[in-house]
Amino acid sequence: MIAESMYQELILEHYKHPQGRGLREPYDAEVHHVNPTCGDEVTLRVKLGDGGKVLDVSYDGQGCSISQAAASVLYELATDSTVEESLSVVDEFTRLMQGRGQVEADEDVLGDAVAFAGVAKFPARVKCALLSWMAYKDAVLRSQA
Amino acid sequence: MSVPSFDVERVRKDFPILSRELPGGRPLVYLDSGNSSQKPNQVIDTMREHLAQHYSNVGRALHALGSESTEAYEAARDKVAGFIGAPSRDEVIFTKNASEAINLVAYAFGNPINTDDRFRVGPGDEIVITEMEHHSNIVPWQLLAQRTGAKLRWFSVTDEGRLSLDDLDELVNERTKIVSIVHQSNVLGTVNSISPILARAREVGALMMVDASQSVPHQRVDVDDLDVDFVAFTGHKMVGPSGIGVLWGRRELLDAMPPFLGGGEMIEAVWMDRSTYAPLPHKFEAGTPPIVEAVGLGAAVDYLTSIGMDAIKQHERELTGYALEALREIPGLRIIGPRTVIARGGTVSFTLEGIHPHDVGQILDDVFGVAVRVGHHCARPLHLRFGIPATTRASFYLYNTTAEIDALVRGLHHVQKVFG
């Protein structure tokens, strides 16, 4: 019953009570990412401030518990941090997700996102976890362009 | 007509995979036959025997193995022809799958080397499909429309998951070149009535194709009774191997059509600047075909015949009735498709309120060993029609039992506990 370990309490909590959900103004860039294999989608906006501060990450989308919870956790981690800090979290999260369950997660960097470690054992679900995180990276790059 | 006795436990013994255990000691509950079916020993052994004892290329090698292999390959064609009541074995074309069969027909239209008027397509002409098609019966026609400037139109689907024929006479009209519709929906389970649409197609001189991928495995399908022009289906959904599909077409039309793929085996004579083509069916079978797969499909047809298609249909009807009833007790479960067994096959798709199908499928598989399909099942427009991104789909076959449906229901209750 590996799947039940994938559905950590924290993931279910974020799924049932998503943080920061809904698209907000103002924003510097908006992106729309889809996962064609399952139809999950997310629209995500970022608003950056002085000194690379992330003022807001707002999003809306539809999808499974993993994709929705991942967006919620991303919101919490990125908002009020800096572009540099948040992108290093994205990189660490990506490394963890693509590690096929063989990668030890750096909890100091990942914080709550470490709860997704179990997802890495399910290749079909890795894209669900990464959907909003990749959208965030894309949006940040576009707002800096 | 009397239905031969059907013993599901005896049938299950023919399918070795059904008695395997999944990691963690879970029994396998395979409810994904609409996606691809499992294979009986009779098919596995026949393919193994062919590879071990008779294998060689077909249609060209003059040695003993060449003739044994050719004989087995062509015997498979005879079996398939008999199975679907084809007036001639030459009308049975082996393809890679149903998608290729549909593409073969689609590419015969609007092809400059085809001078037959029935296949001439251009701006002003129309192609008609339905909103409940698998992508394999949508995209080839979209491509045809793009190539030729023809217009693609479609029948809509009612809330109950039936085809709406209200605008039949408007949709199928004198501009229509071909109507291509699914026999049994791979999502809704709906079995479409072909005859009213066919009658209209005939009235206006349009050709008609049926995608029978989900019906040929589950009920007796006789191409003579259907009376359409083309029928496509695939081996892997009917206890045969993957890599082999079938196009049946009327000889007269197949003769009029240009070749689809060019290459070895489909020719009569070749010069540097031109070729003449082999007669049917080889005209449409370029290159070395899936030999062992065809032989395996022949064995699959023998197996299904030995069980009896009417018995299989009856068994699935009982399972479907049982499932529709059992799923009723689950709060928040919405069936996408007909809620009765009338004109309906054993494919039951549904949504669970507030829970994404991927989460449903993951828990069902990982906790209960219940294999279902989740997603849009290659029928995205149909899901858009119902305003949902995805469904969970349980699909039944001759080897499924009511106990397996009970396992599904138990699993769904558990899913609701986890995500509720």
Side-chain angles (χ1 to χ4, degrees), chain B residues 96-401:
Chain B
K96 184 168 68 182
N97 45 37
S99 295
E100 188 184 292
I102 296 169
N103 276 279
L104 191 162
V105 175
Y107 275 93
F109 285 89
N111 183 333
I113 61 175
N114 191 359
T115 50
D116 190 294
D117 199 49
R118 290 167 296 183
F119 293 90
R120 234 188 272 265
V121 175
D125 290 326
E126 296 178 358
I127 305 153
V128 180
I129 58 174
T130 83
E131 213 176 10
M132 65 166 80
E133 299 306 319
H134 187 282
H135 295 161
S136 63
N137 200 29
I138 298 176
V139 183
W141 305 114
Q142 288 176 342
L143 291 169
L144 172 62
Q146 283 169 15
R147 280 197 302 277
T148 59
K151 186 175 174 191
L152 183 64
R153 307 185 68 186
W154 50 88
F155 289 99
S156 59
V157 169
T158 68
D159 290 342
E160 207 220 339
R162 304 282 184 189
L163 270 193
S164 166
L165 296 186
D166 293 349
D167 43 5
L168 171 61
D169 287 353
E170 199 279 313
L171 266 178
V172 181
N173 58 57
E174 63 288 342
R175 294 184 299 276
T176 309
K177 299 300 283 195
I178 181 151
V179 181
S180 187
I181 76 166
V182 70
H183 198 192
Q184 176 178 322
S185 161
N186 73 317
V187 176
L188 307 165
T190 304
V191 176
N192 290 315
S193 175
I194 304 297
S195 50
I197 302 171
L198 177 67
R200 178 63 184 159
R202 291 284 179 253
E203 212 170 84
V204 299
L207 296 175
M208 182 149 179
M209 176 158 202
V210 165
D211 172 6
S213 303
Q214 297 283 349
S215 59
V216 166
H218 302 286
Q219 64 172 86
R220 206 170 52 81
V221 172
D222 185 304
V223 296
D224 223 28
D225 289 347
L226 269 185
D227 207 28
V228 297
D229 300 302
F230 303 102
V231 175
F233 55 99
T234 192
H236 70 94
K237 294 188 201 291
M238 51 190 290
V239 312
S242 59
I244 182 83
V246 174
L247 170 69
W248 172 84
R250 283 183 195 285
R251 175 194 285 272
E252 182 255 332
L253 290 167
L254 293 173
D255 274 332
M257 287 156 62
F260 174 45
L261 301 173
E265 200 56 29
M266 52 75 72
I267 51 88
E268 182 183 62
V270 179
W271 295 264
M272 279 315 290
D273 60 344
R274 70 200 148 88
S275 301
T276 55
Y277 308 118
L280 295 176
H282 301 110
K283 168 177 153 186
F284 292 108
E285 294 179 1
T288 294
I291 300 165
V292 186
E293 288 74 11
V295 171
L297 177 58
V301 158
D302 281 345
Y303 180 78
L304 292 175
T305 306
S306 74
I307 304 290
M309 290 311 293
D310 291 330
I312 292 170
K313 184 179 178 183
Q314 179 59 30
H315 175 65
E316 289 178 26
R317 194 181 166 90
E318 283 162 19
L319 289 177
T320 307
Y322 187 89
L324 290 172
E325 194 56 42
L327 292 173
R328 240 180 253 271
E329 67 163 84
I330 296 171
L333 186 144
R334 173 188 172 205
I335 289 174
I336 306 298
R339 288 161 190 74
T340 71
V341 295
I342 298 158
R344 175 194 219 300
T347 294
V348 182
S349 298
F350 55 86
T351 57
L352 271 189
E353 201 183 337
I355 309 175
H356 193 279
H358 283 96
D359 293 322
V360 176
Q362 192 87 61
I363 296 284
L364 285 179
D365 173 46
D366 211 67
V367 184
F368 298 90
V370 176
V372 293
R373 184 164 170 192
V374 294
H376 53 48
H377 321 304
C378 302
R380 189 165 181 270
L382 181 65
H383 283 78
L384 293 176
R385 146 73 182 85
F386 282 96
I388 46 178
T391 50
T392 302
R393 179 183 79 178
S395 52
F396 314 129
Y397 208 1
L398 72 164
Y399 40 64
N400 288 121
T401 66

Side-chain angles (χ1 to χ4, degrees), chain A residues 94-115:
Chain A
T94 309
R95 196 177 70 89
L96 174 66
M97 285 300 104
Q98 292 174 343
R100 302 186 168 272
Q102 309 294 319
V103 168
E104 195 65 42
D106 186 342
E107 204 169 339
D108 292 341
V109 178
L110 286 176
D112 276 359
V114 81

Side-chain angles (χ1 to χ4, degrees), chain A residues 14-96:
Chain A
H14 273 277
Y15 174 54
K16 289 169 194 169
H17 308 286
Q19 304 299 301
R21 192 183 168 92
L23 295 170
R24 288 179 290 276
E25 310 265 356
Y27 60 94
D28 300 320
E30 177 184 290
V31 297
H32 179 73
H33 280 212
V34 297
N35 181 350
T37 52
C38 62
D40 285 4
E41 51 187 284
V42 66
T43 304
L44 186 142
R45 294 173 174 176
V46 292
K47 175 65 191 165
L48 304 181
D50 294 338
K53 194 165 163 67
V54 181
L55 297 178
D56 192 19
V57 179
S58 70
Y59 65 94
D60 203 357
Q62 55 173 21
C64 65
S65 59
I66 302 297
S67 73
Q68 299 307 296
S72 174
V73 169
L74 166 77
Y75 162 81
E76 287 197 338
L77 288 172
T79 311
D80 292 334
S81 97
T82 64
V83 165
E84 199 184 341
E85 280 166 9
S86 63
L87 287 185
S88 72
V89 181
V90 171
D91 286 346
E92 178 61 15
F93 188 68
T94 309
R95 196 177 70 89
L96 174 66

